[in-house]
Amino acid sequence: MADDRPNTEELIETVRAFLHDTLLPTMSGHGAFEVRIAANLLAIALRELQQGPAAAAAVQARLTALLGTHDTPAALDAELVRRIRDGEIAVDDRALHTHLREAVRARLAISNPKYLDK
Amino acid sequence: MDKRPAGRLQVATMDDATTRLAGALAAALRTPLGGDVRIEDLRRLTGGASRETWAFDAVVADGALRPLILRRDFADKGRPTLASLIGIDDDLDRRGEFALFQTLANAGLPVPHPVAFPDQLEELASCFVMERMEGEGLPQRLLREETYAEARRIMPTHIGTVLAKIHALSPAELPHLPERTPARQIDIVRRMTALGPAPRPVFELGLRWLDERTPAAPPQRLVHGDFRNGNFLVGPEGLRAVLDWEYAHIGDPMEDVAFVCLKPWRFGKVDAEVGGFGPRDLFYRAYEEAGGGPIDPETVRFWEVLANLKWGALCVARAMAHLLGVQRSVEAAAIGRRVAETEHDILELMG
């Protein structure tokens, strides 16, 4: 139920910590490699639960402003791709680049935050 | 706990297919190695998404031991390859790769010497056997272990010198190789990106950017096509061999120059631009001093964007193969989430 603990985030963190802190030290070779990846995938899922909705809303707001049209996120992306492909937006359009950089940064903050430090 | 020694364990777990493969190899290597051959320690090595690599020792009649490698296409013939999905039918097959190895070895380039192309048995369809050289190939070890400290210092220079020699070979003296003009390479990447499940604005922008900057008439040379850390065999003294020529083609030599500098092949050592080993200027200087080039940074940038797009599309394809149940693994799932890194790099490169 909704009030039961551990909640969704706590469940994911429990399994992530078990994989990384308990199971991983007992393993070696390809098995250890895969357990490390599995723990990292749960860390990504956790960050996405926490940051995903706000990040997606911000991207949609910027994309709506850029394209001047309201639609679902997938439809907005499809429209942006169409305009790039048809040459309706210049390849070096600054507003376009700013939007794409911000959108990629938001996704990296979820999938691999360390990448942004490099 | 299993107390059996590693060697016993390996024998105990050798399955029927492996036993059949060992028998086929023993028969096929009689002629090339000149007499009876015993196959020992046959084992599949990890790595390689499209081909199998096996290591084994061949013991010949006088007791001498030949360390060898078997390269073969995946036994699962029913599975579509990425190349077939995007309509490429002229990639090198194993016979072509074997012929290329012979030419390269004869020209004195650092590659494992090819030993046999045994195609008369079913187990050995689409495969060849080559010398197994001593050395380390795993990037994580090469970039972090103390043993390779001196190798890391010299690798950008060795890579530049060897690449210039590869590009100096006359295409007329090479076996038949597919031709890959810049426009053809863009077309291939465009087909790869189209396989993805969702529209990707950064990929689309990258393709347009490439269209506008396609090199007009680059020199046509032998291009390795997968020239990077991970396909180098290295000793403490430096580069010993260049491996994995399955993507070799005739094309713009700057493609290789760009590829070895790509961020995913720096394995975390992002500031060491040449494969995580060291700085780009050492590599460029060695390449030009050995007769390669001249290197035009804008052309290199074109090929870096193209290679990043190709890698990004490959990440999407690996993730889809996982989700569709074709090749399930946590690694493939994780690769799907690396697309954002590729897109970040593409945007940085485009400026």
Side-chain angles (χ1 to χ4, degrees):
Chain A
M1 301 303 289
D3 292 335
D4 285 345
R5 304 286 295 272
N7 62 29
T8 310
E9 291 181 15
E10 290 160 347
L11 285 174
I12 293 175
E13 172 54 21
T14 301
V15 181
R16 189 208 62 78
F18 167 75
L19 290 175
H20 189 270
D21 303 338
T22 308
L23 189 58
L24 185 58
T26 70
M27 304 197 60
S28 65
H30 196 69
F33 172 71
E34 293 200 299
V35 168
R36 183 175 286 114
I37 291 175
N40 189 42
L41 289 181
L42 289 182
I44 293 173
L46 192 57
R47 285 192 295 268
E48 190 145 87
L49 272 179
Q50 294 162 342
Q51 305 172 29
V59 166
Q60 190 174 2
R62 272 198 314 275
L63 200 45
T64 301
L66 181 72
L67 298 176
T69 171
H70 291 268
D71 216 323
T72 62
L76 287 171
D77 256 1
E79 171 64 10
L80 180 59
V81 163
R82 188 195 66 75
R83 290 193 194 179
I84 295 169
R85 187 177 292 160
D86 294 349
E88 289 176 25
I89 301 184
V91 171
D92 58 358
D93 186 284
R94 287 338 294 174
L96 171 64
H97 278 257
T98 303
H99 160 69
L100 293 176
R101 277 170 190 260
E102 289 295 323
V104 165
R105 287 182 72 85
R107 281 160 54 220
L108 277 175
I110 290 168
S111 66
N112 187 1
K114 281 187 205 152
Y115 206 79
L116 293 169
D117 305 335
K118 290 168 183 169
Chain B
M1 283 295 281
D2 195 329
K3 293 277 202 276
R4 282 179 298 182
R8 285 275 304 283
L9 190 65
Q10 205 148 28
V11 173
T13 56
M14 187 153 137
D15 58 23
D16 290 350
T18 309
T19 309
R20 275 202 307 278
L21 181 58
L25 278 170
L29 290 174
R30 270 186 64 89
T31 306
L33 298 184
D36 284 341
V37 177
R38 200 170 71 242
I39 305 300
E40 289 189 347
D41 205 15
L42 177 63
R43 61 209 186 271
R44 190 172 160 185
L45 304 178
T46 54
S50 54
R51 315 264 184 268
E52 293 177 358
T53 304
W54 298 69
F56 63 99
D57 296 322
V59 184
V60 290
D62 63 1
L65 194 135
R66 293 277 303 269
L68 298 172
I69 288 280
L70 169 74
R71 300 264 287 150
R72 79 171 171 177
D73 290 348
F74 260 124
D76 183 4
K77 299 282 183 249
R79 213 174 79 185
T81 64
L82 188 59
S84 70
L85 286 176
I86 57 171
I88 296 180
D89 58 4
D90 62 347
D91 267 348
L92 269 190
D93 59 11
R94 297 294 68 71
R95 185 183 292 279
E97 194 180 354
F98 182 74
L100 179 59
F101 266 108
Q102 286 177 314
T103 307
L104 296 168
N106 289 339
L109 281 156
V111 294
H113 282 242
V115 172
F117 188 81
D119 60 349
Q120 62 276 61
L121 295 166
E122 195 194 341
E123 285 82 359
L124 298 176
S126 281
C127 80
F128 66 87
V129 176
M130 63 185 180
E131 162 196 25
R132 188 171 86 242
M133 295 173 68
E134 292 286 318
E136 180 58 63
L138 288 176
Q140 301 291 359
R141 289 198 182 145
L142 293 174
L143 296 183
R144 283 164 182 87
E145 289 184 4
E146 184 54 33
T147 315
Y148 303 105
E150 173 62 16
R152 285 193 286 276
R153 201 186 57 75
I154 199 75
M155 275 298 280
T157 303
H158 281 182
I159 290 170
T161 306
V162 164
L163 191 57
K165 285 181 186 163
I166 291 168
H167 293 161
L169 291 173
S170 163
E173 288 160 26
L174 296 166
H176 178 75
L177 293 165
E179 281 180 38
R180 297 277 185 265
T181 61
R184 172 75 172 140
Q185 293 288 48
I186 295 174
D187 178 52
I188 287 171
V189 174
R190 186 166 265 127
R191 287 160 189 260
M192 286 175 72
T193 59
L195 291 176
R200 309 199 74 91
V202 176
F203 284 7
E204 203 57 43
L205 185 64
L207 288 165
R208 279 280 320 279
W209 188 92
L210 291 172
D211 283 338
E212 293 182 0
R213 286 162 182 80
T214 312
Q220 294 290 288
R221 312 302 303 179
L222 168 63
V223 175
H224 179 281
D226 199 10
F227 193 75
R228 62 174 176 92
N229 193 359
N231 287 331
F232 299 137
L233 199 66
V234 178
E237 77 290 353
L239 182 64
R240 288 184 180 167
V242 180
L243 311 171
D244 286 357
W245 291 77
E246 66 197 63
Y247 298 113
H249 56 267
I250 300 297
D252 184 350
M254 289 304 116
E255 200 183 327
D256 281 335
V257 171
F259 204 73
V260 72
C261 297
L262 226 58
K263 251 196 199 173
W265 317 134
R266 298 179 201 165
F267 297 91
K269 304 278 183 189
V270 283
D271 295 332
E273 291 186 273
V274 184
F277 292 113
R280 209 185 275 250
D281 58 337
L282 287 179
F283 163 55
Y284 281 11
R285 196 183 313 142
Y287 180 79
E288 291 183 335
E289 279 176 3
I295 292 172
D296 168 35
E298 279 306 297
T299 307
V300 173
R301 193 154 74 107
F302 169 88
W303 286 111
E304 280 186 55
V305 170
L306 189 142
N308 268 298
L309 270 169
K310 200 181 246 185
W311 169 241
L314 211 56
C315 289
V316 173
R318 288 287 303 279
M320 288 313 292
H322 166 75
L323 294 173
L324 296 171
V326 178
Q327 202 174 19
R328 292 192 71 87
S329 73
V330 287
E331 188 185 6
I335 284 174
R337 286 298 181 109
R338 290 195 62 183
V339 179
E341 297 167 28
T342 311
E343 294 185 337
H344 175 266
D345 294 351
I346 291 168
L347 288 168
E348 292 264 291
L349 279 164
M350 288 192 301

